[in-house]
Amino acid sequence: MDWFELNEMSPQDRAKLFAEHFASLAEVLTLYPKSYVTYDKDWREYCARVGQSEPFRFAYEYADDPNDALMFAALAYKLT
């Protein structure tokens, strides 16, 4: 699976896939303690980092909120 496949999934399908790999966002933060999400008001995008990954940047239409951004980044980190 690659970034584009994740991006093309519906939010419901991404949530199902996330549930197959993680119990919760709390588990993501426990497994990868250096994870974080920020929001850039100027660029209107979320920036999510999971573990030692480079930050993933999500324009507003790709992530609805910080939790969605972290979920998306966790899947991308684990599956790509």
Side-chain angles (χ1 to χ4, degrees):
M1 176 161 292
D2 64 17
W3 171 265
F4 298 104
E5 289 174 300
L6 282 174
N7 189 36
E8 291 173 359
M9 294 177 93
S10 71
Q12 296 83 7
D13 288 340
R14 261 198 317 266
K16 279 190 222 174
L17 185 61
F18 181 84
E20 291 174 13
H21 293 280
F22 300 101
S24 66
L25 287 174
E27 180 186 12
V28 171
L29 296 174
T30 301
L31 291 171
Y32 311 110
K34 294 183 180 184
S35 301
Y36 65 82
V37 178
T38 60
Y39 182 73
D40 185 321
K41 288 186 232 177
D42 295 329
W43 288 94
R44 296 185 60 205
E45 69 181 7
Y46 289 102
C47 178
R49 180 179 178 204
V50 174
Q52 300 296 326
S53 73
E54 289 295 318
F56 294 95
R57 298 191 177 280
F58 302 97
Y60 188 71
E61 63 269 8
Y62 294 113
D64 294 332
D65 58 48
N67 292 336
D68 191 31
L70 184 59
M71 181 178 71
F72 199 135
L75 285 170
Y77 182 70
K78 185 166 186 167
L79 300 177
T80 61

